[in-house]
Amino acid sequence: MPQVEKLKIFLASPSDVAKERDYVMEVINEINRTIAPSKGVILEVVSSKDTFPGYGQDGQSVLNKQIGTMKEYEIFLGIMWSRVGTPTQRAPSGTIEEFRRAARANKSHEKPEIWFYFRKLEAHLDTQEKLEQAKKVVTFKKEVQRKALTHDYNNPSNFRDRFRQDISLWLNARPNKTSPPRTAAANRIKKSSVTPTNLQPPTSRENKQKKSISTSPAADNKRKPSTTSTTKKRSLAGSRSTTCTTTSISSSGAWVMLNDNFFLTQSVNTQANQTVTLHISPTNPEQEAALRNLQPEQSYNKKQIPYAYQNDAAMMQVESVLSQSIKGKTILIVTLGPDPNSQRSSSMEINFNGYTTNQIAELRARLLLLNETPSLHEKNTYSEIDSWVEGGYNNAVKINKNIFPDLWKKLKIPPSKFLPHARLVAVYYLKMSRTVEHILELKLGIIKGNVMSVQFRGKRKSPSINQEPAVIQFQGSCPLSG
Protein backbone atom coordinates (compact mmCIF):
# COMPACT_ATOMS: atom_id res chain seq x y z
CA MET A 1 0.00 0.00 0.00
CA PRO A 2 1.58 3.34 -1.02
CA GLN A 3 2.72 5.67 1.73
CA VAL A 4 0.85 8.96 2.08
CA GLU A 5 3.07 11.95 2.80
CA LYS A 6 1.67 14.60 5.14
CA LEU A 7 2.43 18.18 4.08
CA LYS A 8 1.87 20.73 6.84
CA ILE A 9 0.71 24.30 6.24
CA PHE A 10 0.90 26.90 8.99
CA LEU A 11 -1.91 29.47 8.90
CA ALA A 12 -1.26 32.83 10.57
CA SER A 13 -3.71 35.73 10.67
CA PRO A 14 -5.38 38.27 12.95
CA SER A 15 -9.02 37.91 13.99
CA ASP A 16 -10.53 40.18 11.30
CA VAL A 17 -10.06 37.65 8.50
CA ALA A 18 -12.13 34.82 9.99
CA LYS A 19 -13.96 34.22 6.70
CA GLU A 20 -10.70 33.76 4.83
CA ARG A 21 -9.54 31.24 7.45
CA ASP A 22 -12.76 29.27 6.86
CA TYR A 23 -12.09 29.35 3.11
CA VAL A 24 -8.57 28.01 3.65
CA MET A 25 -10.04 24.96 5.36
CA GLU A 26 -12.69 24.60 2.65
CA VAL A 27 -10.12 24.70 -0.16
CA ILE A 28 -7.73 22.31 1.61
CA ASN A 29 -10.57 19.82 2.20
CA GLU A 30 -11.41 20.09 -1.50
CA ILE A 31 -7.78 19.57 -2.55
CA ASN A 32 -7.50 16.55 -0.25
CA ARG A 33 -10.48 15.02 -2.08
CA THR A 34 -9.28 15.79 -5.60
CA ILE A 35 -5.63 16.48 -6.43
CA ALA A 36 -3.82 15.33 -3.28
CA PRO A 37 -4.62 11.57 -3.48
CA SER A 38 -3.09 11.27 -6.94
CA LYS A 39 0.07 12.91 -5.60
CA GLY A 40 0.27 10.54 -2.64
CA VAL A 41 -0.02 13.37 -0.12
CA ILE A 42 -2.46 14.87 2.34
CA LEU A 43 -2.44 18.52 3.39
CA GLU A 44 -2.81 19.49 7.04
CA VAL A 45 -3.44 23.04 8.22
CA VAL A 46 -2.08 24.06 11.64
CA SER A 47 -2.72 27.39 13.36
CA SER A 48 -2.74 28.96 16.81
CA LYS A 49 -6.34 27.78 17.15
CA ASP A 50 -5.05 24.20 17.35
CA THR A 51 -3.13 24.84 20.58
CA PHE A 52 -4.12 24.06 24.18
CA PRO A 53 -3.64 25.98 27.44
CA GLY A 54 -0.14 26.22 28.92
CA TYR A 55 2.22 28.34 30.98
CA GLY A 56 5.50 30.04 30.10
CA GLN A 57 7.20 33.35 29.45
CA ASP A 58 4.03 34.69 27.81
CA GLY A 59 1.05 33.42 25.85
CA GLN A 60 2.73 33.61 22.44
CA SER A 61 5.82 31.73 23.69
CA VAL A 62 3.52 28.90 24.82
CA LEU A 63 1.94 28.89 21.35
CA ASN A 64 5.36 28.83 19.71
CA LYS A 65 6.37 25.69 21.62
CA GLN A 66 3.19 23.88 20.64
CA ILE A 67 3.42 25.03 17.02
CA GLY A 68 6.92 23.58 16.81
CA THR A 69 9.78 24.64 14.57
CA MET A 70 8.75 26.36 11.36
CA LYS A 71 11.02 24.13 9.26
CA GLU A 72 8.45 21.34 9.83
CA TYR A 73 6.00 23.19 7.57
CA GLU A 74 5.92 23.26 3.78
CA ILE A 75 4.07 26.58 3.57
CA PHE A 76 3.64 29.52 5.91
CA LEU A 77 0.29 31.03 4.88
CA GLY A 78 -0.28 34.57 6.15
CA ILE A 79 -3.46 36.59 5.70
CA MET A 80 -3.96 40.19 6.81
CA TRP A 81 -6.52 42.94 6.29
CA SER A 82 -6.91 46.01 8.53
CA ARG A 83 -5.39 44.69 11.77
CA VAL A 84 -2.02 43.25 12.72
CA GLY A 85 -3.36 41.78 15.95
CA THR A 86 -2.33 41.73 19.61
CA PRO A 87 1.27 42.76 20.47
CA THR A 88 3.70 40.22 21.97
CA GLN A 89 6.91 40.84 23.93
CA ARG A 90 8.93 40.30 20.74
CA ALA A 91 6.83 41.70 17.87
CA PRO A 92 3.95 44.07 17.05
CA SER A 93 1.59 41.04 16.96
CA GLY A 94 1.46 37.26 17.20
CA THR A 95 1.00 36.99 13.43
CA ILE A 96 4.09 39.11 12.78
CA GLU A 97 6.12 37.10 15.29
CA GLU A 98 5.07 33.86 13.57
CA PHE A 99 6.02 35.34 10.20
CA ARG A 100 9.48 36.32 11.44
CA ARG A 101 10.04 32.82 12.83
CA ALA A 102 9.09 31.39 9.43
CA ALA A 103 11.38 33.86 7.63
CA ARG A 104 14.34 32.78 9.80
CA ALA A 105 13.58 29.10 9.12
CA ASN A 106 13.32 29.78 5.39
CA LYS A 107 16.70 31.50 5.40
CA SER A 108 18.48 28.64 7.18
CA HIS A 109 16.52 25.60 5.92
CA GLU A 110 14.72 26.90 2.77
CA LYS A 111 11.46 25.89 4.46
CA PRO A 112 8.70 26.84 4.76
CA GLU A 113 7.72 28.64 1.59
CA ILE A 114 6.13 31.95 2.62
CA TRP A 115 2.83 32.98 1.06
CA PHE A 116 1.21 36.22 2.22
CA TYR A 117 -2.14 37.59 1.11
CA PHE A 118 -3.30 41.12 1.92
CA ARG A 119 -6.93 42.18 1.66
CA LYS A 120 -7.25 45.70 0.27
CA LEU A 121 -7.96 48.31 2.93
CA GLU A 122 -11.33 50.03 2.93
CA ALA A 123 -12.16 53.63 3.82
CA HIS A 124 -14.29 52.88 6.92
CA LEU A 125 -11.54 53.36 9.50
CA ASP A 126 -13.59 55.55 11.81
CA THR A 127 -11.65 55.26 15.10
CA GLN A 128 -8.09 56.10 16.13
CA GLU A 129 -7.47 52.48 17.09
CA LYS A 130 -8.53 51.28 13.61
CA LEU A 131 -6.29 53.87 11.96
CA GLU A 132 -3.31 52.81 14.08
CA GLN A 133 -3.88 49.17 13.24
CA ALA A 134 -4.18 49.96 9.53
CA LYS A 135 -0.91 51.93 9.63
CA LYS A 136 0.83 48.94 11.21
CA VAL A 137 -0.53 46.72 8.42
CA VAL A 138 0.97 49.04 5.78
CA THR A 139 4.32 49.09 7.60
CA PHE A 140 4.38 45.32 7.96
CA LYS A 141 3.40 44.79 4.32
CA LYS A 142 6.46 46.79 3.27
CA GLU A 143 8.60 44.55 5.51
CA VAL A 144 7.22 41.40 3.85
CA GLN A 145 7.54 42.73 0.32
CA ARG A 146 11.26 43.41 0.72
CA LYS A 147 11.87 39.71 0.10
CA ALA A 148 8.49 38.21 -0.84
CA LEU A 149 5.94 38.31 -3.63
CA THR A 150 2.55 38.95 -2.05
CA HIS A 151 -0.97 38.91 -3.44
CA ASP A 152 -3.70 41.50 -2.85
CA TYR A 153 -7.37 40.56 -3.01
CA ASN A 154 -10.69 42.42 -2.85
CA ASN A 155 -12.92 40.23 -0.67
CA PRO A 156 -13.00 36.78 0.98
CA SER A 157 -14.43 34.94 -2.03
CA ASN A 158 -11.76 36.52 -4.23
CA PHE A 159 -9.15 35.20 -1.77
CA ARG A 160 -10.69 31.72 -1.90
CA ASP A 161 -10.47 31.56 -5.69
CA ARG A 162 -6.91 32.87 -5.74
CA PHE A 163 -5.73 30.53 -2.98
CA ARG A 164 -7.38 27.53 -4.68
CA GLN A 165 -5.54 28.36 -7.90
CA ASP A 166 -2.20 28.88 -6.14
CA ILE A 167 -2.32 25.71 -4.03
CA SER A 168 -3.46 23.64 -7.04
CA LEU A 169 -0.58 24.88 -9.18
CA TRP A 170 1.90 24.34 -6.33
CA LEU A 171 0.74 20.79 -5.64
CA ASN A 172 0.63 19.79 -9.30
CA ALA A 173 4.20 21.03 -9.72
CA ARG A 174 5.40 18.61 -7.01
CA PRO A 175 6.67 15.20 -8.17
CA ASN A 176 4.64 12.14 -7.22
CA LYS A 177 6.78 10.36 -4.61
CA THR A 178 4.59 7.30 -4.19
CA SER A 179 5.46 5.68 -7.53
CA PRO A 180 7.03 6.48 -10.91
CA PRO A 181 4.71 8.70 -12.98
CA ARG A 182 4.10 6.16 -15.76
CA THR A 183 3.34 3.32 -13.36
CA ALA A 184 0.94 5.45 -11.33
CA ALA A 185 -0.80 6.62 -14.48
CA ALA A 186 -1.11 3.08 -15.80
CA ASN A 187 -2.66 1.95 -12.52
CA ARG A 188 -5.19 4.77 -12.65
CA ILE A 189 -6.19 3.84 -16.20
CA LYS A 190 -6.66 0.21 -15.19
CA LYS A 191 -8.84 1.08 -12.22
CA SER A 192 -10.79 3.92 -13.79
CA SER A 193 -14.23 3.27 -15.21
CA VAL A 194 -14.44 6.68 -16.87
CA THR A 195 -15.61 6.60 -20.44
CA PRO A 196 -15.08 9.53 -22.79
CA THR A 197 -17.59 12.30 -22.21
CA ASN A 198 -20.63 11.89 -24.43
CA LEU A 199 -21.67 15.33 -25.57
CA GLN A 200 -24.92 13.99 -26.99
CA PRO A 201 -27.66 14.77 -24.45
CA PRO A 202 -30.72 12.51 -24.40
CA THR A 203 -33.29 12.96 -27.14
CA SER A 204 -36.98 12.54 -26.47
CA ARG A 205 -36.64 8.80 -27.11
CA GLU A 206 -33.57 8.45 -24.92
CA ASN A 207 -34.58 10.75 -22.08
CA LYS A 208 -35.54 7.85 -19.87
CA GLN A 209 -32.12 6.26 -20.06
CA LYS A 210 -29.88 7.37 -17.20
CA LYS A 211 -26.13 7.81 -17.71
CA SER A 212 -23.79 6.40 -15.13
CA ILE A 213 -20.65 8.51 -14.99
CA SER A 214 -17.68 7.79 -12.73
CA THR A 215 -15.99 10.65 -10.91
CA SER A 216 -12.59 9.00 -11.07
CA PRO A 217 -9.82 11.46 -12.03
CA ALA A 218 -8.39 11.41 -15.55
CA ALA A 219 -5.13 9.58 -15.97
CA ASP A 220 -1.85 9.15 -17.88
CA ASN A 221 -0.57 12.58 -18.89
CA LYS A 222 2.55 11.18 -20.59
CA ARG A 223 1.03 8.55 -22.85
CA LYS A 224 1.57 8.67 -26.59
CA PRO A 225 -1.22 10.19 -28.69
CA SER A 226 -3.71 7.74 -30.13
CA THR A 227 -3.39 6.82 -33.81
CA THR A 228 -6.95 5.46 -34.05
CA SER A 229 -8.81 7.02 -36.96
CA THR A 230 -12.48 7.03 -36.09
CA THR A 231 -15.00 9.80 -35.77
CA LYS A 232 -15.25 9.30 -32.02
CA LYS A 233 -11.44 9.29 -31.58
CA ARG A 234 -11.02 12.43 -33.70
CA SER A 235 -8.01 12.73 -35.96
CA LEU A 236 -7.21 16.06 -34.37
CA ALA A 237 -5.08 14.28 -31.77
CA GLY A 238 -1.44 15.24 -31.43
CA SER A 239 1.40 15.12 -28.97
CA ARG A 240 1.28 17.48 -26.00
CA SER A 241 3.41 18.37 -23.04
CA THR A 242 1.86 18.55 -19.59
CA THR A 243 4.10 21.48 -18.71
CA CYS A 244 3.23 23.37 -21.87
CA THR A 245 1.73 26.82 -21.48
CA THR A 246 -0.54 28.75 -23.78
CA THR A 247 -2.16 32.14 -23.56
CA SER A 248 -5.65 32.52 -22.20
CA ILE A 249 -8.62 32.49 -24.57
CA SER A 250 -11.94 34.29 -24.28
CA SER A 251 -13.34 33.00 -27.57
CA SER A 252 -13.36 29.69 -29.43
CA GLY A 253 -12.71 31.55 -32.68
CA ALA A 254 -13.78 29.71 -35.85
CA TRP A 255 -14.18 26.34 -34.13
CA VAL A 256 -17.61 24.73 -34.02
CA MET A 257 -18.88 21.71 -32.12
CA LEU A 258 -21.18 19.36 -34.05
CA ASN A 259 -22.30 16.24 -32.24
CA ASP A 260 -19.12 15.13 -30.45
CA ASN A 261 -16.69 16.47 -33.07
CA PHE A 262 -14.93 19.80 -33.58
CA PHE A 263 -14.33 21.51 -36.92
CA LEU A 264 -12.78 24.74 -38.16
CA THR A 265 -15.38 26.71 -40.10
CA GLN A 266 -14.90 29.01 -43.08
CA SER A 267 -18.18 30.79 -42.39
CA VAL A 268 -21.23 30.51 -40.12
CA ASN A 269 -24.51 32.16 -41.06
CA THR A 270 -27.36 32.29 -38.53
CA GLN A 271 -30.72 33.47 -39.83
CA ALA A 272 -33.65 35.03 -38.00
CA ASN A 273 -35.54 31.71 -37.93
CA GLN A 274 -32.52 30.18 -36.09
CA THR A 275 -31.42 28.18 -39.13
CA VAL A 276 -27.62 27.89 -39.21
CA THR A 277 -25.53 27.32 -42.35
CA LEU A 278 -21.89 26.30 -41.95
CA HIS A 279 -19.17 26.07 -44.57
CA ILE A 280 -16.49 23.60 -43.51
CA SER A 281 -13.44 22.38 -45.40
CA PRO A 282 -12.47 19.00 -43.89
CA THR A 283 -8.76 18.66 -43.09
CA ASN A 284 -8.67 14.88 -43.50
CA PRO A 285 -10.86 11.95 -44.68
CA GLU A 286 -12.05 11.19 -41.13
CA GLN A 287 -13.48 14.69 -40.75
CA GLU A 288 -15.17 14.50 -44.13
CA ALA A 289 -16.72 11.14 -43.26
CA ALA A 290 -17.99 12.47 -39.95
CA LEU A 291 -19.67 15.42 -41.65
CA ARG A 292 -21.22 13.35 -44.44
CA ASN A 293 -22.53 10.93 -41.83
CA LEU A 294 -24.73 13.74 -40.49
CA GLN A 295 -26.81 13.71 -43.70
CA PRO A 296 -30.33 12.47 -42.81
CA GLU A 297 -31.36 9.30 -44.65
CA GLN A 298 -34.99 10.40 -44.86
CA SER A 299 -36.48 13.88 -44.59
CA TYR A 300 -38.76 12.75 -41.77
CA ASN A 301 -35.93 11.21 -39.73
CA LYS A 302 -33.47 14.06 -39.21
CA LYS A 303 -30.57 13.64 -36.85
CA GLN A 304 -30.56 15.68 -33.66
CA ILE A 305 -27.11 16.87 -32.59
CA PRO A 306 -25.55 19.21 -30.02
CA TYR A 307 -24.27 22.44 -31.56
CA ALA A 308 -22.02 25.15 -30.11
CA TYR A 309 -20.35 28.10 -31.76
CA GLN A 310 -18.73 31.01 -29.91
CA ASN A 311 -21.28 31.87 -27.15
CA ASP A 312 -24.28 30.12 -28.74
CA ALA A 313 -25.43 26.56 -28.19
CA ALA A 314 -28.53 24.53 -28.92
CA MET A 315 -29.89 21.13 -29.78
CA MET A 316 -30.26 21.23 -33.56
CA GLN A 317 -31.49 18.91 -36.29
CA VAL A 318 -29.53 18.37 -39.50
CA GLU A 319 -31.48 19.60 -42.52
CA SER A 320 -28.88 18.79 -45.17
CA VAL A 321 -25.20 18.21 -45.90
CA LEU A 322 -24.20 19.39 -49.38
CA SER A 323 -20.82 19.26 -51.09
CA GLN A 324 -19.06 21.56 -53.50
CA SER A 325 -15.53 21.68 -54.88
CA ILE A 326 -13.53 24.88 -55.40
CA LYS A 327 -10.20 24.40 -57.22
CA GLY A 328 -10.10 20.79 -56.07
CA LYS A 329 -10.83 21.69 -52.46
CA THR A 330 -13.94 20.09 -50.96
CA ILE A 331 -16.33 22.34 -49.07
CA LEU A 332 -19.21 20.80 -47.12
CA ILE A 333 -22.24 22.99 -46.49
CA VAL A 334 -24.10 21.87 -43.37
CA THR A 335 -27.53 23.33 -42.71
CA LEU A 336 -29.02 23.01 -39.22
CA GLY A 337 -32.51 23.84 -38.05
CA PRO A 338 -33.85 24.27 -34.50
CA ASP A 339 -34.94 20.99 -32.92
CA PRO A 340 -38.72 21.22 -32.31
CA ASN A 341 -38.56 19.01 -29.23
CA SER A 342 -35.82 21.14 -27.69
CA GLN A 343 -37.72 24.33 -28.46
CA ARG A 344 -40.81 23.07 -26.65
CA SER A 345 -38.96 21.87 -23.55
CA SER A 346 -38.93 24.11 -20.52
CA SER A 347 -37.20 24.03 -17.16
CA MET A 348 -38.95 24.48 -13.84
CA GLU A 349 -36.92 26.25 -11.16
CA ILE A 350 -37.87 26.78 -7.54
CA ASN A 351 -36.23 28.05 -4.37
CA PHE A 352 -35.41 25.09 -2.19
CA ASN A 353 -34.30 24.59 1.40
CA GLY A 354 -33.01 28.14 1.83
CA TYR A 355 -31.28 28.27 -1.55
CA THR A 356 -32.58 30.65 -4.22
CA THR A 357 -32.76 29.57 -7.84
CA ASN A 358 -29.80 31.83 -8.60
CA GLN A 359 -27.72 30.28 -5.82
CA ILE A 360 -28.55 26.80 -7.10
CA ALA A 361 -27.53 27.86 -10.61
CA GLU A 362 -24.20 29.15 -9.30
CA LEU A 363 -23.56 25.85 -7.50
CA ARG A 364 -24.22 24.10 -10.81
CA ALA A 365 -21.84 26.38 -12.72
CA ARG A 366 -19.09 25.89 -10.13
CA LEU A 367 -19.50 22.13 -10.28
CA LEU A 368 -19.44 22.22 -14.08
CA LEU A 369 -16.42 24.50 -14.53
CA LEU A 370 -14.35 24.08 -11.35
CA ASN A 371 -15.39 20.67 -10.01
CA GLU A 372 -16.25 22.56 -6.82
CA THR A 373 -18.14 20.52 -4.27
CA PRO A 374 -19.69 21.77 -1.01
CA SER A 375 -17.57 22.07 2.11
CA LEU A 376 -18.13 19.50 4.84
CA HIS A 377 -20.49 21.67 6.90
CA GLU A 378 -22.74 22.12 3.85
CA LYS A 379 -22.96 18.46 2.83
CA ASN A 380 -26.12 17.57 4.73
CA THR A 381 -27.99 20.52 3.27
CA TYR A 382 -26.43 20.10 -0.16
CA SER A 383 -27.46 16.46 -0.46
CA GLU A 384 -31.08 17.54 -0.33
CA ILE A 385 -30.76 19.87 -3.33
CA ASP A 386 -28.34 17.89 -5.48
CA SER A 387 -31.05 17.04 -8.03
CA TRP A 388 -31.69 20.76 -8.51
CA VAL A 389 -27.99 21.50 -8.83
CA GLU A 390 -27.75 18.79 -11.50
CA GLY A 391 -30.37 20.62 -13.53
CA GLY A 392 -33.85 20.18 -12.09
CA TYR A 393 -36.48 18.70 -14.35
CA ASN A 394 -36.92 18.74 -18.14
CA ASN A 395 -33.49 20.15 -18.90
CA ALA A 396 -31.69 18.82 -21.97
CA VAL A 397 -28.59 17.93 -19.97
CA LYS A 398 -27.71 17.12 -16.36
CA ILE A 399 -24.64 18.42 -14.59
CA ASN A 400 -23.32 15.83 -12.15
CA LYS A 401 -19.57 16.31 -12.60
CA ASN A 402 -16.91 18.59 -13.98
CA ILE A 403 -16.63 18.36 -17.78
CA PHE A 404 -12.96 19.10 -18.43
CA PRO A 405 -10.92 16.10 -17.13
CA ASP A 406 -12.70 13.53 -19.33
CA LEU A 407 -12.40 15.81 -22.34
CA TRP A 408 -8.68 16.37 -21.67
CA LYS A 409 -8.10 12.63 -21.48
CA LYS A 410 -10.21 11.88 -24.54
CA LEU A 411 -8.91 14.48 -27.00
CA LYS A 412 -5.18 14.13 -26.29
CA ILE A 413 -4.32 17.33 -28.15
CA PRO A 414 -2.03 20.27 -27.33
CA PRO A 415 -3.37 22.92 -24.93
CA SER A 416 -3.62 25.50 -27.72
CA LYS A 417 -6.26 23.31 -29.41
CA PHE A 418 -7.79 21.94 -26.23
CA LEU A 419 -8.81 25.35 -24.84
CA PRO A 420 -11.23 26.35 -27.66
CA HIS A 421 -12.70 22.83 -27.71
CA ALA A 422 -13.21 22.87 -23.94
CA ARG A 423 -14.81 26.30 -24.15
CA LEU A 424 -17.37 25.09 -26.70
CA VAL A 425 -18.33 22.14 -24.52
CA ALA A 426 -18.68 24.43 -21.51
CA VAL A 427 -20.88 26.85 -23.47
CA TYR A 428 -23.13 23.98 -24.53
CA TYR A 429 -23.63 22.65 -21.01
CA LEU A 430 -24.04 26.08 -19.41
CA LYS A 431 -26.81 27.02 -21.82
CA MET A 432 -28.53 23.66 -22.25
CA SER A 433 -28.74 23.18 -18.48
CA ARG A 434 -30.40 26.62 -18.30
CA THR A 435 -27.68 27.72 -15.89
CA VAL A 436 -27.40 31.02 -17.75
CA GLU A 437 -29.18 32.55 -20.72
CA HIS A 438 -26.25 34.67 -21.91
CA ILE A 439 -22.52 34.08 -21.49
CA LEU A 440 -20.86 37.42 -20.84
CA GLU A 441 -17.36 36.07 -20.26
CA LEU A 442 -15.79 32.63 -20.30
CA LYS A 443 -12.01 32.78 -20.14
CA LEU A 444 -9.95 29.63 -19.96
CA GLY A 445 -6.41 30.35 -18.91
CA ILE A 446 -2.89 29.03 -18.98
CA ILE A 447 -2.48 25.29 -18.54
CA LYS A 448 0.48 24.41 -16.32
CA GLY A 449 0.91 21.20 -14.43
CA ASN A 450 -2.49 20.08 -15.81
CA VAL A 451 -4.39 22.86 -14.07
CA MET A 452 -6.61 25.23 -16.02
CA SER A 453 -7.74 28.62 -14.77
CA VAL A 454 -11.37 29.58 -15.37
CA GLN A 455 -13.00 33.00 -15.28
CA PHE A 456 -16.75 33.08 -15.81
CA ARG A 457 -19.55 35.63 -15.92
CA GLY A 458 -23.04 34.79 -17.16
CA LYS A 459 -26.48 36.38 -17.08
CA ARG A 460 -29.49 34.38 -15.92
CA LYS A 461 -32.89 34.52 -17.54
CA SER A 462 -35.06 37.22 -15.99
CA PRO A 463 -37.81 35.65 -13.84
CA SER A 464 -40.26 38.44 -14.74
CA ILE A 465 -40.56 41.54 -16.89
CA ASN A 466 -40.07 43.90 -13.96
CA GLN A 467 -37.10 42.07 -12.42
CA GLU A 468 -33.48 42.45 -13.44
CA PRO A 469 -31.74 39.19 -14.37
CA ALA A 470 -29.07 37.98 -11.95
CA VAL A 471 -25.43 37.71 -12.99
CA ILE A 472 -23.27 34.76 -11.88
CA GLN A 473 -19.54 35.40 -11.81
CA PHE A 474 -16.51 33.69 -10.30
CA GLN A 475 -12.98 32.58 -11.08
CA GLY A 476 -10.91 29.65 -9.98
CA SER A 477 -8.92 26.71 -11.27
CA CYS A 478 -9.74 23.22 -12.41
CA PRO A 479 -7.38 20.21 -12.27
CA LEU A 480 -7.47 18.35 -15.57
CA SER A 481 -6.00 15.07 -14.40
CA GLY A 482 -4.43 13.27 -11.50
Side-chain angles (χ1 to χ4, degrees), residues 17 36 63 104 113 155 166 217 222 248 254 282 315 319 354 460 470:
V17 288
L63 293 178
R104 288 193 295 270
E113 295 184 27
N155 52 56
D166 292 344
K222 295 188 177 181
S248 301
M315 192 68 177
E319 301 292 341
R460 298 266 293 150

Side-chain angles (χ1 to χ4, degrees), residues 223-418:
R223 61 194 172 196
K224 295 181 179 179
S226 172
T227 56
T228 306
S229 298
T230 65
T231 57
K232 289 188 177 181
K233 293 271 186 179
R234 302 176 191 86
S235 58
L236 296 174
S239 62
R240 63 181 179 187
S241 168
T242 58
T243 59
C244 181
T245 60
T246 184
T247 55
S248 301
I249 66 161
S250 298
S251 169
S252 50
W255 287 99
V256 65
M257 183 184 83
L258 298 176
N259 212 6
D260 61 348
N261 292 281
F262 303 91
F263 305 94
L264 272 174
T265 60
Q266 293 193 344
S267 67
V268 178
N269 181 25
T270 304
Q271 301 179 19
N273 64 355
Q274 298 182 338
T275 297
V276 178
T277 303
L278 306 102
H279 289 70
I280 301 172
S281 178
T283 58
N284 53 53
E286 287 76 20
Q287 282 199 355
E288 182 173 349
L291 288 168
R292 291 186 184 278
N293 192 49
L294 296 177
Q295 174 67 47
E297 295 179 3
Q298 297 91 15
S299 59
Y300 58 84
N301 188 23
K302 297 175 181 177
K303 293 185 178 180
Q304 300 169 336
I305 63 170
Y307 160 79
Y309 177 70
Q310 295 182 351
N311 289 334
D312 292 327
M315 192 68 177
M316 305 289 279
Q317 64 180 18
V318 182
E319 301 292 341
S320 64
V321 179
L322 304 177
S323 175
Q324 68 178 33
S325 181
I326 301 176
K327 295 182 179 181
K329 186 177 182 180
T330 299
I331 305 292
L332 292 177
I333 306 169
V334 181
T335 303
L336 307 175
D339 174 35
N341 294 326
S342 177
Q343 295 293 310
R344 286 193 295 268
S345 66
S346 61
S347 174
M348 178 180 67
E349 292 188 320
I350 62 171
N351 298 335
F352 186 79
N353 205 17
Y355 288 81
T356 66
T357 56
N358 294 327
Q359 289 172 327
I360 292 173
E362 180 173 351
L363 287 173
R364 185 185 310 132
R366 286 179 175 273
L367 174 63
L368 175 71
L369 299 177
L370 302 178
N371 200 26
E372 186 173 297
T373 53
S375 57
L376 292 176
H377 70 275
E378 293 177 316
K379 278 192 176 295
N380 291 336
T381 302
Y382 184 90
S383 63
E384 298 176 8
I385 65 163
D386 57 357
S387 63
W388 294 102
V389 172
E390 288 180 7
Y393 300 102
N394 300 324
N395 272 349
V397 297
K398 300 292 183 182
I399 308 300
N400 55 14
K401 66 182 295 188
N402 176 261
I403 59 175
F404 297 128
D406 283 352
L407 192 67
W408 173 252
K409 183 176 70 172
K410 180 182 181 182
L411 293 183
K412 295 175 288 186
I413 55 178
S416 59
K417 286 187 178 180
F418 174 78

Side-chain angles (χ1 to χ4, degrees), residues 80-100:
M80 197 169 281
W81 182 20
S82 60
R83 300 183 62 83
V84 294
T86 305
T88 72
Q89 294 184 18
R90 293 158 298 278
S93 75
T95 299
I96 295 177
E97 181 171 334
E98 290 158 355
F99 161 75
R100 290 174 179 172

